Amino acid sequence: TDEPQIRDWWAANPNANVALATGSKSGLHVIDIDAARSDVAPRLQTTLIARTRNGGWHYFYKYPAGVASLPNTSKKAKEPLHPDVDTRGEGGYVLVFPSVVDGDKGNPDATGVYQWVNYVDPVEMPSWIVEHIKPKPVALIPRATYAMKPATSWAEKALRDECDAVAAMGEGGRNHRLNQAAFSLGQIVAGGHLSTSLVHSELMHA
């Protein structure tokens, strides 16, 4: 949002692409349809729409009022919004016009460019989407506390291995891999071999 800084960057990199932050910073949430033709499209209200580099679609909606945080979601998740759909919310971003990125070779719908195709003000996000992707409340179950035992070499190695696996995971599988790591290390924390604060700190860093 610093215009002089942006002008300096663009002077140094005149062919740079343009990204738009999603979530509360911009007040926008994006439904990313990763297919030129999808049966989810007729279910979406008309709004600000862009054609993506691979022939898919970005539907831009107003970030819903009264919802603290809507996360990014993946079509590879256990319960995706739709098999063709990713979403971009808090902490996410999308490329926008006039960005250009090489399209997928062999994809006849890939043009490599981002283009506005329905240039109107974004409308309210469909309620069925909000309900599907907003974080579900988690019940907190009281549990016994354990005296911390000295960390053993196998526990420390398990922590390093899990953190390395999380750090190496690419986009699309990171949330799932982080959940696996937290579950596995949680068993070691429960046994008193690692502290909750250490595991939390190392996973956040990873």
Side-chain angles (χ1 to χ4, degrees), residues 25-71:
K25 286 186 176 181
S26 62
L28 295 170
H29 196 97
V30 175
I31 307 303
D32 178 6
I33 304 177
D34 193 22
R37 289 157 288 279
S38 173
D39 59 9
V40 74
R43 301 176 60 194
L44 300 177
Q45 282 90 327
T46 297
T47 186
L48 174 64
I49 302 173
R51 186 79 161 170
T52 67
R53 68 185 183 96
N54 284 327
W57 310 90
H58 282 164
Y59 281 63
F60 293 77
Y61 289 105
K62 291 180 182 178
Y63 200 77
V67 179
S69 177
L70 283 180

Side-chain angles (χ1 to χ4, degrees), residues 137-153:
V138 177
L140 298 179
I141 303 173
R143 60 175 297 166
T145 57
Y146 295 87
M148 183 62 188
K149 301 175 184 176
T152 54
S153 59

Side-chain angles (χ1 to χ4, degrees), residues 162-181:
E162 291 291 353
C163 289
D164 288 346
V166 169
M169 179 58 63
E171 183 176 359
R174 289 179 295 205
N175 287 350
H176 181 63
R177 188 64 190 84
L178 178 60
N179 187 57
Q180 286 181 318

Side-chain angles (χ1 to χ4, degrees), residues 4-165:
Q5 178 66 76
I6 293 172
R7 290 188 179 279
D8 286 346
W9 283 337
W10 230 305
N13 299 279
N15 294 320
N17 285 327
V18 185
L20 173 73
T22 52
S24 56
K25 286 186 176 181
S26 62
L28 295 170
H29 196 97
V30 175
I31 307 303
D32 178 6
I33 304 177
D34 193 22
R37 289 157 288 279
S38 173
D39 59 9
V40 74
R43 301 176 60 194
L44 300 177
Q45 282 90 327
T46 297
T47 186
L48 174 64
I49 302 173
R51 186 79 161 170
T52 67
R53 68 185 183 96
N54 284 327
W57 310 90
H58 282 164
Y59 281 63
F60 293 77
Y61 289 105
K62 291 180 182 178
Y63 200 77
V67 179
S69 177
L70 283 180
N72 302 314
T73 66
S74 170
K75 58 182 174 290
K76 297 178 182 178
K78 184 177 180 181
E79 296 181 1
L81 178 66
H82 185 277
D84 295 331
V85 171
D86 296 320
T87 70
R88 292 292 174 262
E90 203 64 36
Y93 72 91
V94 292
L95 292 185
V96 295
F97 174 85
S99 297
V100 178
V101 180
D102 288 341
D104 290 342
K105 291 179 172 61
N107 179 358
D109 297 305
T111 64
V113 302
Y114 289 79
Q115 297 176 305
W116 298 114
V117 295
N118 194 46
Y119 199 68
V120 299
D121 289 338
V123 302
E124 297 292 336
M125 196 170 180
S127 59
W128 66 271
I129 296 179
V130 176
E131 289 304 313
H132 185 95
I133 66 178
K134 74 179 182 181
K136 305 299 186 290
V138 177
L140 298 179
I141 303 173
R143 60 175 297 166
T145 57
Y146 295 87
M148 183 62 188
K149 301 175 184 176
T152 54
S153 59
W154 68 265
E156 292 173 340
K157 183 177 186 304
L159 177 59
R160 287 196 304 270
D161 289 347
E162 291 291 353
C163 289
D164 288 346

